[in-house]
Amino acid sequence: MTGGPAWYTSAAMSEIAKQDGADERHMREAIALSEAARKRGNMPFGAVLVAPDGRVLASAENTIVTDRDITAHAEINALRIASKTCTPQQLAAATMYASGEPCPMCSGAMIRVGLRRLLFGIRAAVATPYLPAAAGAMVGSVNCRDVLALAPSPIDVEGPVLESEAKVPFEAFAARGAG
């Protein structure tokens, strides 16, 4: 699939997804992945990359601890998975559902693949107090909209979406640690 007919813009995809409940369903998938990441000892982030036709191209958790890779954020992991089987056009036409507001690195990767739509759950400023200081100073200090505004083509950013639900794995992470 190469993104659908010319009229099938990200705004049209957004409206269709809202009407059939797909946005909430995929965001809840990302939130469930964030809880799974937390239970595995990673920071509580999850991401789902979805094609315009509703097909999930990739889903991933944050795996920075278990993979011992500081770049293994959920969004990056999802893009890595999808890039192995998708064309650049398919990646650009997809929607990223992220349980947490993407950091500057993940936002930069979204710009690099030409993504046109992002929905995120918990705002970075809300999530940061639940994370260890060692998580990095950038978390919560840079709004993803500021980074994504640097993209050569506009990126539709919606968030926070289901923030109270997206906050639950962060609260559990802080209360009981990663385990």
Side-chain angles (χ1 to χ4, degrees), residues 1 18 24 48 59 84 89 102 105 118 178:
M1 171 150 197
K18 287 177 188 173
E24 283 189 19
V48 180
S59 59
K84 292 177 182 175
Q89 295 80 10
M105 177 183 70
L118 161 70

Side-chain angles (χ1 to χ4, degrees), residues 27-119:
M27 183 55 68
R28 285 192 171 104
E29 275 181 77
I31 293 167
L33 288 164
S34 73
E35 176 62 12
R38 181 195 69 80
K39 287 180 177 177
R40 290 189 225 301
N42 294 294
M43 287 196 289
F45 292 94
V48 180
L49 191 63
V50 179
D53 65 3
R55 184 172 40 96
V56 173
L57 301 174
S59 59
E61 306 168 9
N62 176 297
T63 58
I64 62 171
V65 173
T66 53
D67 286 351
R68 300 183 73 170
D69 177 354
I70 62 170
T71 67
H73 293 199
E75 301 93 331
I76 297 287
N77 287 342
L79 290 170
R80 284 177 179 152
I81 292 166
S83 69
K84 292 177 182 175
T85 59
C86 296
T87 66
Q89 295 80 10
Q90 289 170 318
L91 289 174
T95 296
M96 176 70 76
Y97 295 85
S99 65
E101 181 174 358
C103 73
M105 177 183 70
C106 293
S107 296
M110 290 179 218
I111 290 171
R112 181 66 180 93
V113 300
L115 197 75
R116 294 288 168 261
R117 185 166 184 250
L118 161 70
L119 281 79

